Amino acid sequence: MKAKHSKETVELAPSYLTALVPANHAEQHEGQHYSIPLQEVKVVFPHGLPYRFQMQMKTFNESCLMVRKPALELLGYLKNTNFAHPAIRYVIYGEKGTGKTMTLCHAVHYCAKQDWLVLHIPDAHLWVKNCRELMQSSYNKERFDQPLEASTWLKNFKTSNDHFLKEIKTQQTYMWSKRESTEKGRPLGEVVEQGLTRVKNASDAVGVVLKELKKQCPLGSFRLLVAVDGINALWGRTTLRKKDKSAVSPEELTLVHNLRKMVVNDWNGGAIVTTLSQTGSLFKPRSAYLPHELLGKVSTHWTLSFPSRFPITVSESLRAVISITLTASGFNMREPVQKKGEMNCCFSATPTPGSWNGSLLISDTKESSLAATAAF
Amino acid sequence: MAAPMAGRLAALGRRLAPPARAWLPGLTQVRWSRYGPSYLEPEVNKEVYRKPLEGLSEEEKTQRELKTLQPIKATASNVTSSVFSDPTISKFTNMMMKGGNKVLARSIVTQTLEAIKRKQIEKYHQASEEERESIECNPYVIFHQALKNCQPIIGLCNIQKGGKTYQVPSPLKDNRKRFLAMKWLITECREHKHHRTFMHEKLSQELLQAFNNEGPVIKRKHDMHKMAEANRAYAHYRWW
């Protein structure tokens, strides 16, 4: 499949495709891409891949992730986790467009391959803004439910972790209403079904799932990875309002409340990987990327690691991206023109993508790589 | 058109006196330039300067000498010496621009080119081996070909005779043809499409249709040709 393209075109970057599994990625693979079969992508990433990556997948009919240093570091830590100790919280931060979400997806793919249970929240910002139906929670009168967001998340959770849901059993009876309940000892899949069929109870179903997983993970039958994109949404502000036009704070949302409990490191047997994101955030300036700017006071409690900016120089990664997009488009360009075009791209892409406001230069590495492909 | 009259006077003015500008009674110069007549035009293309001295013809050698002596005008800010700059694309962006928002216009055009490229690559991957060679993936080639396909050959101009205005078929200058093609493309996307779709999506669709000689803009060009054909009888009203 790939060999057909690479025979025809001029190789500008070293062999850029490795068919290895994330577990075998090492420092020598830095800068190279590895592809995930599309069937696997549907199972492992029903949600969570950034929009531009999905467009690339649709155009080239393949999904290739680049192996980068922060991801390798994170994978190294995940490989050496001690499951007897409390779950370590990893925070990936960096400026806009540097690859935080993709690093998270790399870690998620690795853990999925290692047969961990992956709890992937694609974008926590979606839970604190633009909610069409905000209902008062039946469980706790103070809190608010979000049936739509909860049910979409449950559907995607089911796709990625089907086999686990049959094995894990509830340890408590849950009464959904006067007539419906889930007995103790039933598989967790039934709770998810309940949340999907009765959308009113979806947020509570999510809460139940999180609670059960947290209680049962220390017992050791499975490993849990909690991957949250945009963790700063849980401690920020919301744009949601109550009926009397007063603002809703994040604690008053059931989903956020339960997720906050999940992300506390009082359980063991897994890891928590999170990303700070300004892109979907509310009431934060565009230039904010450091943990104390985005998280506020909470940042003092968190382990700080993994700045997502770049040990791989931008021009190297650009060359790799350009060469891979060119071969995927099936091109046979003369070398001098290609090199000149690449030089142009490297000059116009700045080392911190997204740091140019309203300038005519193409300010995103992905955009500039696409401008290069558009040129050829 | 009123243009021929002023053009003829300007030509007359140029013939009357040696310098480029001439004073004529009753005719004031409207357009002026900060640069005097001795200023040369800038050369943006890097390849021209990379040629070795021996490979130049006599004319080019004199040009080079002039450049060392005479002052040169400043380049416009939208002209670059990069591989990606294209005068047609710049013209198109300027025509798309509203209220001086060049950033937005330029981003729309880049997104359009990207969208065209993506659609063509998808088609390429889904096509069989024989069809693959015929699929054009370069969005610049598609853009230029689409514009060429949209350019009318003959246009209509209003001529007043005996109190009535007639639509008279007349030849069009190259600039006018290019302008009409771009104008029709942009107005088609702005007015006749759904207002909630993105401009780059609409434009890419239109350009691909024009590239294949189908679509509403090509139809408009054909309508213009038909009108010109229908008004053949009035062709002799034109005196230039």
Side-chain angles (χ1 to χ4, degrees):
Chain A
M1 175 181 63
K2 302 286 172 293
K4 189 162 57 171
H5 292 299
S6 48
K7 263 188 224 156
E8 293 164 345
T9 56
V10 179
E11 293 265 48
L12 287 178
S15 55
Y16 58 86
L17 283 179
T18 43
L20 296 182
V21 163
N24 299 340
H25 288 161
E27 272 163 29
Q28 71 254 34
H29 301 128
E30 208 176 296
Q32 294 180 16
H33 290 73
Y34 81 99
S35 64
I36 314 177
L38 286 171
Q39 286 306 104
E40 233 181 275
V41 169
K42 271 192 219 157
V43 171
V44 178
F45 296 114
H47 53 192
L49 289 173
Y51 175 63
R52 287 204 80 90
F53 189 78
Q54 284 175 359
M55 283 211 298
Q56 296 283 57
M57 267 181 14
K58 186 166 157 259
T59 313
F60 297 118
N61 220 26
E62 61 186 12
S63 76
C64 292
L65 256 106
M66 181 148 90
V67 177
R68 300 174 82 213
K69 214 156 158 183
L72 286 173
E73 210 185 320
L74 181 58
L75 291 185
Y77 285 122
L78 284 175
K79 279 181 205 167
N80 301 330
T81 31
N82 187 341
F83 295 107
H85 291 177
I88 302 187
R89 291 176 292 198
Y90 302 97
V91 175
I92 308 175
Y93 71 96
E95 299 193 2
K96 264 167 111 70
T98 37
K100 305 183 279 288
T101 312
M102 291 316 289
T103 317
L104 189 77
C105 291
H106 195 164
V108 164
H109 186 226
Y110 165 74
C111 293
K113 282 295 226 192
Q114 300 285 316
D115 217 28
W116 291 34
L117 208 174
V118 171
L119 206 74
H120 187 36
I121 285 104
D123 195 356
H125 294 295
L126 296 174
W127 287 358
V128 296
K129 57 181 178 177
N130 299 339
C131 180
R132 285 167 195 262
E133 294 171 14
L134 202 65
M135 317 181 332
Q136 202 185 29
S137 164
S138 47
Y139 180 69
N140 185 337
K141 286 278 175 289
E142 310 292 313
R143 294 201 217 126
F144 292 94
D145 264 0
Q146 286 153 298
L148 291 174
E149 281 89 2
S151 51
T152 17
W153 185 81
L154 278 174
K155 200 163 67 156
N156 292 325
F157 178 65
K158 196 173 139 185
T159 340
S160 51
N161 296 309
D162 227 345
H163 51 288
F164 280 111
L165 293 176
K166 295 192 193 99
E167 293 160 9
I168 304 174
K169 310 281 184 219
T170 51
Q171 289 181 343
Q172 200 188 320
T173 328
Y174 296 102
M175 293 287 295
W176 302 110
S177 66
K178 270 186 238 162
R179 272 161 252 166
E180 286 168 13
S181 69
T182 313
E183 306 301 318
K184 179 172 162 180
R186 303 295 300 163
L188 210 57
E190 276 197 18
V191 175
V192 177
E193 281 304 321
Q194 174 70 26
L196 285 173
T197 40
R198 294 264 177 271
V199 185
K200 248 175 64 174
N201 298 332
S203 322
D204 293 324
V206 172
V208 163
V209 162
L210 294 181
K211 184 169 146 188
E212 286 295 324
L213 290 176
K214 193 168 162 179
K215 250 195 313 186
Q216 295 191 20
C217 189
L219 306 174
S221 52
F222 60 90
R223 309 265 162 78
L224 181 61
L225 174 79
V226 180
V228 185
D229 206 332
I231 190 96
N232 46 322
L234 302 186
W235 284 278
R237 284 164 62 184
T238 66
T239 44
L240 307 172
R241 288 187 178 266
K242 298 178 207 163
K243 285 279 158 57
D244 55 355
K245 309 271 177 137
S246 59
V248 174
S249 74
E251 299 86 48
E252 293 173 14
L253 293 167
T254 345
L255 287 174
V256 174
H257 180 85
N258 292 322
L259 195 55
R260 274 200 202 180
K261 282 196 283 186
M262 196 70 200
V263 173
V264 177
N265 56 350
D266 52 1
W267 52 278
N268 58 331
I272 306 172
V273 183
T274 66
T275 326
L276 287 182
S277 156
Q278 193 280 335
T279 314
S281 68
L282 299 161
F283 307 106
K284 293 284 177 209
R286 193 173 180 214
S287 53
Y289 71 97
L290 294 169
H292 69 90
E293 286 165 4
L294 285 173
L295 275 180
K297 282 193 218 153
V298 190
S299 62
T300 45
H301 304 301
W302 287 69
T303 326
L304 299 178
S305 36
F306 310 119
S308 193
R309 31 178 189 155
F310 305 132
I312 289 189
T313 53
V314 173
S315 52
E316 264 176 49
S317 61
L318 250 192
R319 270 174 217 277
V321 173
I322 291 174
S323 67
I324 199 181
T325 32
L326 286 174
T327 45
S329 1
F331 264 107
N332 197 356
M333 279 298 297
R334 297 181 325 275
E335 212 175 290
V337 182
Q338 204 164 5
K339 276 220 171 344
K340 197 169 165 198
E342 272 187 15
M343 284 265 286
N344 268 302
C345 286
C346 294
F347 275 120
S348 60
T350 59
T352 49
S355 60
W356 289 81
N357 276 319
S359 87
L360 285 178
L361 295 177
I362 306 160
S363 57
D364 196 87
T365 37
K366 297 164 221 155
E367 271 183 46
S368 47
S369 70
L370 274 163
T373 60
F376 301 121
Chain B
M1 278 188 270
M5 188 66 181
R8 295 239 306 259
L9 280 173
L12 183 64
R14 252 177 267 129
R15 271 206 299 273
L16 278 181
R21 275 169 288 165
W23 179 85
L24 277 176
L27 205 63
T28 343
Q29 283 285 353
V30 174
R31 280 179 204 90
W32 61 284
S33 167
R34 294 195 87 89
Y35 298 116
S38 61
Y39 276 76
L40 300 172
E41 295 294 325
E43 176 62 61
V44 196
N45 193 0
K46 280 194 258 188
E47 299 305 317
V48 169
Y49 295 113
R50 288 216 187 111
K51 279 195 232 165
L53 269 170
E54 301 79 35
L56 296 176
S57 61
E58 277 309 311
E59 194 194 308
E60 283 175 329
K61 284 202 178 123
T62 40
Q63 279 285 325
R64 280 265 181 112
E65 274 191 53
L66 270 179
K67 286 226 162 122
T68 46
L69 299 167
Q70 283 195 312
I72 307 182
K73 294 186 195 176
T75 349
S77 13
N78 57 351
V79 172
T80 44
S81 50
S82 102
V83 201
F84 300 123
S85 69
D86 190 357
T88 345
I89 298 269
S90 310
K91 210 31 134 205
F92 193 71
T93 358
N94 289 340
M95 285 187 64
M96 282 254 286
M97 175 165 63
K98 270 189 179 176
N101 196 349
K102 179 94 109 187
V103 175
L104 185 59
R106 170 100 173 186
S107 65
I108 293 175
V109 169
T110 345
Q111 283 166 358
T112 313
L113 294 172
E114 190 190 319
I116 297 176
K117 176 90 184 195
R118 278 192 196 271
K119 286 185 192 169
Q120 292 297 91
I121 292 182
E122 270 176 45
K123 235 165 62 177
Y124 180 89
H125 281 301
Q126 277 152 23
S128 58
E129 285 296 334
E130 308 90 36
E131 290 169 37
R132 278 193 179 180
E133 276 156 22
S134 62
I135 295 180
E136 179 60 57
C137 279
N138 190 345
Y140 289 90
V141 165
I142 291 182
F143 182 81
H144 288 128
Q145 187 58 42
L147 266 187
K148 222 157 95 181
N149 290 347
C150 289
Q151 284 179 4
I153 306 170
I154 189 167
L156 296 166
C157 73
N158 296 347
I159 293 187
Q160 273 204 328
K161 193 154 169 131
K164 274 182 24 171
T165 328
Y166 296 96
Q167 298 273 345
V168 175
S170 69
L172 296 170
K173 283 204 212 143
D174 279 332
N175 280 346
R176 177 85 187 147
K177 285 184 200 166
R178 212 184 47 195
F179 168 79
L180 279 176
M182 291 189 197
K183 187 84 185 165
W184 287 343
L185 269 173
I186 295 175
T187 27
E188 174 63 39
C189 291
R190 277 187 187 159
E191 283 158 29
H192 300 303
K193 304 268 181 201
H194 189 54
H195 66 280
R196 291 289 282 181
T197 10
F198 290 119
M199 187 67 180
H200 59 85
E201 227 174 272
K202 296 188 266 202
L203 252 184
S204 59
Q205 204 184 23
E206 280 303 324
L207 282 168
L208 282 169
Q209 280 184 322
F211 179 70
N212 296 326
N213 269 316
E214 48 194 36
V217 191
I218 300 284
K219 183 169 170 295
R220 190 160 172 185
K221 172 185 91 157
H222 288 324
D223 286 343
M224 171 86 121
H225 289 174
K226 279 184 210 156
M227 279 280 283
E229 185 62 35
N231 284 5
R232 270 182 76 154
Y234 301 125
H236 64 285
Y237 282 174
R238 190 171 58 94
W239 64 85
W240 62 88

mmCIF file of all heavy atoms in Angstrom, chain B residues 21-47:
data_model
loop_
_atom_site.group_PDB
_atom_site.id
_atom_site.type_symbol
_atom_site.label_atom_id
_atom_site.label_comp_id
_atom_site.label_asym_id
_atom_site.label_seq_id
_atom_site.Cartn_x
_atom_site.Cartn_y
_atom_site.Cartn_z
ATOM 1 N N ARG B 21 4.512 62.809 -20.138
ATOM 2 C CA ARG B 21 3.322 63.599 -19.831
ATOM 3 C C ARG B 21 3.312 64.866 -20.681
ATOM 4 O O ARG B 21 4.346 65.432 -20.981
ATOM 5 C CB ARG B 21 3.322 63.994 -18.366
ATOM 6 C CG ARG B 21 2.744 62.919 -17.498
ATOM 7 C CD ARG B 21 2.997 63.211 -16.055
ATOM 8 N NE ARG B 21 4.404 63.007 -15.778
ATOM 9 C CZ ARG B 21 4.987 63.453 -14.678
ATOM 10 N NH1 ARG B 21 4.322 64.132 -13.791
ATOM 11 N NH2 ARG B 21 6.271 63.232 -14.485
ATOM 12 N N ALA B 22 2.137 65.309 -21.069
ATOM 13 C CA ALA B 22 2.036 66.564 -21.811
ATOM 14 C C ALA B 22 0.879 67.348 -21.249
ATOM 15 O O ALA B 22 -0.084 66.777 -20.746
ATOM 16 C CB ALA B 22 1.810 66.267 -23.282
ATOM 17 N N TRP B 23 0.972 68.652 -21.338
ATOM 18 C CA TRP B 23 -0.129 69.477 -20.882
ATOM 19 C C TRP B 23 -1.008 69.806 -22.060
ATOM 20 O O TRP B 23 -0.543 70.224 -23.110
ATOM 21 C CB TRP B 23 0.430 70.750 -20.245
ATOM 22 C CG TRP B 23 -0.634 71.676 -19.773
ATOM 23 C CD1 TRP B 23 -1.273 71.642 -18.591
ATOM 24 C CD2 TRP B 23 -1.179 72.768 -20.512
ATOM 25 N NE1 TRP B 23 -2.183 72.629 -18.520
ATOM 26 C CE2 TRP B 23 -2.161 73.345 -19.697
ATOM 27 C CE3 TRP B 23 -0.934 73.306 -21.785
ATOM 28 C CZ2 TRP B 23 -2.899 74.429 -20.099
ATOM 29 C CZ3 TRP B 23 -1.683 74.400 -22.191
ATOM 30 C CH2 TRP B 23 -2.662 74.947 -21.347
ATOM 31 N N LEU B 24 -2.285 69.557 -21.909
ATOM 32 C CA LEU B 24 -3.218 69.918 -22.962
ATOM 33 C C LEU B 24 -4.264 70.850 -22.368
ATOM 34 O O LEU B 24 -4.702 70.628 -21.245
ATOM 35 C CB LEU B 24 -3.921 68.678 -23.501
ATOM 36 C CG LEU B 24 -3.177 67.868 -24.551
ATOM 37 C CD1 LEU B 24 -3.983 66.633 -24.890
ATOM 38 C CD2 LEU B 24 -2.920 68.700 -25.787
ATOM 39 N N PRO B 25 -4.674 71.891 -23.101
ATOM 40 C CA PRO B 25 -5.687 72.782 -22.513
ATOM 41 C C PRO B 25 -6.994 72.028 -22.331
ATOM 42 O O PRO B 25 -7.430 71.286 -23.210
ATOM 43 C CB PRO B 25 -5.828 73.896 -23.573
ATOM 44 C CG PRO B 25 -5.306 73.296 -24.825
ATOM 45 C CD PRO B 25 -4.253 72.340 -24.427
ATOM 46 N N GLY B 26 -7.583 72.200 -21.146
ATOM 47 C CA GLY B 26 -8.858 71.543 -20.876
ATOM 48 C C GLY B 26 -8.726 70.110 -20.400
ATOM 49 O O GLY B 26 -9.719 69.439 -20.166
ATOM 50 N N LEU B 27 -7.496 69.616 -20.254
ATOM 51 C CA LEU B 27 -7.317 68.216 -19.829
ATOM 52 C C LEU B 27 -6.363 68.197 -18.636
ATOM 53 O O LEU B 27 -5.193 68.502 -18.771
ATOM 54 C CB LEU B 27 -6.718 67.431 -20.993
ATOM 55 C CG LEU B 27 -6.996 65.939 -20.992
ATOM 56 C CD1 LEU B 27 -8.480 65.705 -21.128
ATOM 57 C CD2 LEU B 27 -6.269 65.296 -22.139
ATOM 58 N N THR B 28 -6.886 67.889 -17.428
ATOM 59 C CA THR B 28 -6.023 67.841 -16.243
ATOM 60 C C THR B 28 -5.634 66.401 -15.957
ATOM 61 O O THR B 28 -6.434 65.491 -16.112
ATOM 62 C CB THR B 28 -6.780 68.335 -14.988
ATOM 63 O OG1 THR B 28 -7.926 69.036 -15.412
ATOM 64 C CG2 THR B 28 -5.890 69.157 -14.111
ATOM 65 N N GLN B 29 -4.389 66.224 -15.535
ATOM 66 C CA GLN B 29 -3.927 64.895 -15.142
ATOM 67 C C GLN B 29 -4.580 64.530 -13.817
ATOM 68 O O GLN B 29 -4.475 65.263 -12.848
ATOM 69 C CB GLN B 29 -2.405 64.901 -14.947
ATOM 70 C CG GLN B 29 -1.635 64.872 -16.242
ATOM 71 C CD GLN B 29 -1.658 63.489 -16.880
ATOM 72 O OE1 GLN B 29 -2.151 62.545 -16.276
ATOM 73 N NE2 GLN B 29 -1.147 63.386 -18.081
ATOM 74 N N VAL B 30 -5.278 63.384 -13.792
ATOM 75 C CA VAL B 30 -5.925 62.965 -12.546
ATOM 76 C C VAL B 30 -5.002 62.020 -11.780
ATOM 77 O O VAL B 30 -4.808 62.145 -10.575
ATOM 78 C CB VAL B 30 -7.261 62.258 -12.850
ATOM 79 C CG1 VAL B 30 -7.847 61.709 -11.575
ATOM 80 C CG2 VAL B 30 -8.208 63.232 -13.497
ATOM 81 N N ARG B 31 -4.438 61.054 -12.511
ATOM 82 C CA ARG B 31 -3.566 60.091 -11.821
ATOM 83 C C ARG B 31 -2.137 60.581 -11.899
ATOM 84 O O ARG B 31 -1.653 60.897 -12.972
ATOM 85 C CB ARG B 31 -3.676 58.726 -12.493
ATOM 86 C CG ARG B 31 -4.916 58.006 -12.023
ATOM 87 C CD ARG B 31 -5.061 56.663 -12.674
ATOM 88 N NE ARG B 31 -6.466 56.302 -12.646
ATOM 89 C CZ ARG B 31 -7.329 56.599 -13.605
ATOM 90 N NH1 ARG B 31 -6.912 57.226 -14.696
ATOM 91 N NH2 ARG B 31 -8.577 56.272 -13.495
ATOM 92 N N TRP B 32 -1.460 60.637 -10.760
ATOM 93 C CA TRP B 32 -0.073 61.067 -10.757
ATOM 94 C C TRP B 32 0.718 60.070 -9.916
ATOM 95 O O TRP B 32 0.162 59.215 -9.247
ATOM 96 C CB TRP B 32 0.047 62.470 -10.207
ATOM 97 C CG TRP B 32 -0.433 62.548 -8.801
ATOM 98 C CD1 TRP B 32 -1.712 62.555 -8.363
ATOM 99 C CD2 TRP B 32 0.378 62.632 -7.620
ATOM 100 N NE1 TRP B 32 -1.764 62.628 -7.025
ATOM 101 C CE2 TRP B 32 -0.502 62.683 -6.517
ATOM 102 C CE3 TRP B 32 1.765 62.659 -7.408
ATOM 103 C CZ2 TRP B 32 -0.040 62.765 -5.208
ATOM 104 C CZ3 TRP B 32 2.201 62.752 -6.106
ATOM 105 C CH2 TRP B 32 1.310 62.801 -5.013
ATOM 106 N N SER B 33 2.018 60.173 -10.003
ATOM 107 C CA SER B 33 2.840 59.248 -9.243
ATOM 108 C C SER B 33 3.935 60.026 -8.550
ATOM 109 O O SER B 33 4.440 61.018 -9.067
ATOM 110 C CB SER B 33 3.430 58.222 -10.200
ATOM 111 O OG SER B 33 4.440 57.520 -9.563
ATOM 112 N N ARG B 34 4.299 59.558 -7.349
ATOM 113 C CA ARG B 34 5.371 60.224 -6.608
ATOM 114 C C ARG B 34 6.706 60.056 -7.312
ATOM 115 O O ARG B 34 7.658 60.739 -7.019
ATOM 116 C CB ARG B 34 5.476 59.637 -5.210
ATOM 117 C CG ARG B 34 4.279 59.896 -4.359
ATOM 118 C CD ARG B 34 4.608 59.618 -2.924
ATOM 119 N NE ARG B 34 5.172 60.808 -2.300
ATOM 120 C CZ ARG B 34 4.464 61.763 -1.699
ATOM 121 N NH1 ARG B 34 3.158 61.652 -1.643
ATOM 122 N NH2 ARG B 34 5.046 62.814 -1.180
ATOM 123 N N TYR B 35 6.760 59.065 -8.177
ATOM 124 C CA TYR B 35 8.031 58.769 -8.842
ATOM 125 C C TYR B 35 8.159 59.593 -10.111
ATOM 126 O O TYR B 35 7.212 59.738 -10.873
ATOM 127 C CB TYR B 35 8.091 57.286 -9.211
ATOM 128 C CG TYR B 35 8.022 56.365 -8.028
ATOM 129 C CD1 TYR B 35 6.962 55.494 -7.866
ATOM 130 C CD2 TYR B 35 9.024 56.370 -7.069
ATOM 131 C CE1 TYR B 35 6.899 54.647 -6.792
ATOM 132 C CE2 TYR B 35 8.971 55.522 -5.991
ATOM 133 C CZ TYR B 35 7.916 54.672 -5.854
ATOM 134 O OH TYR B 35 7.857 53.836 -4.797
ATOM 135 N N GLY B 36 9.355 60.085 -10.355
ATOM 136 C CA GLY B 36 9.594 60.825 -11.597
ATOM 137 C C GLY B 36 9.720 59.858 -12.756
ATOM 138 O O GLY B 36 9.663 58.647 -12.584
ATOM 139 N N PRO B 37 9.938 60.420 -13.960
ATOM 140 C CA PRO B 37 10.004 59.544 -15.139
ATOM 141 C C PRO B 37 11.233 58.656 -15.184
ATOM 142 O O PRO B 37 11.264 57.663 -15.906
ATOM 143 C CB PRO B 37 10.007 60.537 -16.313
ATOM 144 C CG PRO B 37 10.419 61.835 -15.717
ATOM 145 C CD PRO B 37 9.995 61.827 -14.293
ATOM 146 N N SER B 38 12.272 58.980 -14.380
ATOM 147 C CA SER B 38 13.496 58.192 -14.482
ATOM 148 C C SER B 38 13.439 56.920 -13.638
ATOM 149 O O SER B 38 14.337 56.090 -13.697
ATOM 150 C CB SER B 38 14.679 59.039 -14.031
ATOM 151 O OG SER B 38 14.471 59.414 -12.683
ATOM 152 N N TYR B 39 12.388 56.721 -12.841
ATOM 153 C CA TYR B 39 12.341 55.552 -11.957
ATOM 154 C C TYR B 39 12.016 54.297 -12.749
ATOM 155 O O TYR B 39 11.118 54.295 -13.590
ATOM 156 C CB TYR B 39 11.285 55.763 -10.869
ATOM 157 C CG TYR B 39 11.790 56.547 -9.699
ATOM 158 C CD1 TYR B 39 11.965 57.927 -9.781
ATOM 159 C CD2 TYR B 39 12.104 55.913 -8.490
ATOM 160 C CE1 TYR B 39 12.432 58.640 -8.702
ATOM 161 C CE2 TYR B 39 12.564 56.631 -7.416
ATOM 162 C CZ TYR B 39 12.728 57.997 -7.524
ATOM 163 O OH TYR B 39 13.196 58.717 -6.465
ATOM 164 N N LEU B 40 12.759 53.214 -12.437
ATOM 165 C CA LEU B 40 12.539 51.948 -13.143
ATOM 166 C C LEU B 40 11.609 51.047 -12.340
ATOM 167 O O LEU B 40 11.505 51.173 -11.125
ATOM 168 C CB LEU B 40 13.874 51.217 -13.329
ATOM 169 C CG LEU B 40 14.935 51.957 -14.121
ATOM 170 C CD1 LEU B 40 16.234 51.175 -14.021
ATOM 171 C CD2 LEU B 40 14.515 52.111 -15.563
ATOM 172 N N GLU B 41 10.989 50.079 -13.056
ATOM 173 C CA GLU B 41 10.128 49.106 -12.370
ATOM 174 C C GLU B 41 10.980 48.077 -11.633
ATOM 175 O O GLU B 41 12.040 47.689 -12.128
ATOM 176 C CB GLU B 41 9.255 48.364 -13.392
ATOM 177 C CG GLU B 41 8.263 49.242 -14.106
ATOM 178 C CD GLU B 41 7.208 49.781 -13.159
ATOM 179 O OE1 GLU B 41 6.829 49.060 -12.219
ATOM 180 O OE2 GLU B 41 6.778 50.922 -13.347
ATOM 181 N N PRO B 42 10.548 47.609 -10.455
ATOM 182 C CA PRO B 42 11.336 46.603 -9.725
ATOM 183 C C PRO B 42 11.210 45.227 -10.371
ATOM 184 O O PRO B 42 10.187 44.908 -10.964
ATOM 185 C CB PRO B 42 10.709 46.606 -8.339
ATOM 186 C CG PRO B 42 9.319 47.061 -8.563
ATOM 187 C CD PRO B 42 9.339 47.982 -9.734
ATOM 188 N N GLU B 43 12.255 44.428 -10.249
ATOM 189 C CA GLU B 43 12.252 43.051 -10.770
ATOM 190 C C GLU B 43 12.217 42.107 -9.581
ATOM 191 O O GLU B 43 13.161 42.068 -8.789
ATOM 192 C CB GLU B 43 13.526 42.825 -11.600
ATOM 193 C CG GLU B 43 13.667 41.399 -12.095
ATOM 194 C CD GLU B 43 12.541 40.992 -13.018
ATOM 195 O OE1 GLU B 43 12.396 41.626 -14.077
ATOM 196 O OE2 GLU B 43 11.808 40.054 -12.673
ATOM 197 N N VAL B 44 11.116 41.370 -9.438
ATOM 198 C CA VAL B 44 10.946 40.543 -8.243
ATOM 199 C C VAL B 44 11.481 39.129 -8.433
ATOM 200 O O VAL B 44 11.836 38.457 -7.488
ATOM 201 C CB VAL B 44 9.450 40.451 -7.854
ATOM 202 C CG1 VAL B 44 9.311 39.943 -6.449
ATOM 203 C CG2 VAL B 44 8.805 41.800 -7.994
ATOM 204 N N ASN B 45 11.547 38.684 -9.669
ATOM 205 C CA ASN B 45 11.917 37.303 -9.948
ATOM 206 C C ASN B 45 13.397 37.065 -9.679
ATOM 207 O O ASN B 45 14.254 37.682 -10.292
ATOM 208 C CB ASN B 45 11.584 37.033 -11.417
ATOM 209 C CG ASN B 45 11.617 35.566 -11.734
ATOM 210 O OD1 ASN B 45 11.884 34.742 -10.872
ATOM 211 N ND2 ASN B 45 11.348 35.252 -12.982
ATOM 212 N N LYS B 46 13.682 36.115 -8.753
ATOM 213 C CA LYS B 46 15.081 35.895 -8.360
ATOM 214 C C LYS B 46 15.902 35.266 -9.472
ATOM 215 O O LYS B 46 17.113 35.469 -9.544
ATOM 216 C CB LYS B 46 15.133 34.968 -7.138
ATOM 217 C CG LYS B 46 14.862 35.681 -5.830
ATOM 218 C CD LYS B 46 15.252 34.822 -4.664
ATOM 219 C CE LYS B 46 14.004 34.213 -4.073
ATOM 220 N NZ LYS B 46 14.238 33.502 -2.830
ATOM 221 N N GLU B 47 15.224 34.508 -10.372
ATOM 222 C CA GLU B 47 15.972 33.776 -11.410
ATOM 223 C C GLU B 47 16.719 34.726 -12.324
ATOM 224 O O GLU B 47 17.781 34.418 -12.847
ATOM 225 C CB GLU B 47 15.001 32.933 -12.245
ATOM 226 C CG GLU B 47 14.255 31.885 -11.439
ATOM 227 C CD GLU B 47 15.200 30.966 -10.689
ATOM 228 O OE1 GLU B 47 16.208 30.540 -11.283
ATOM 229 O OE2 GLU B 47 14.944 30.694 -9.508
#
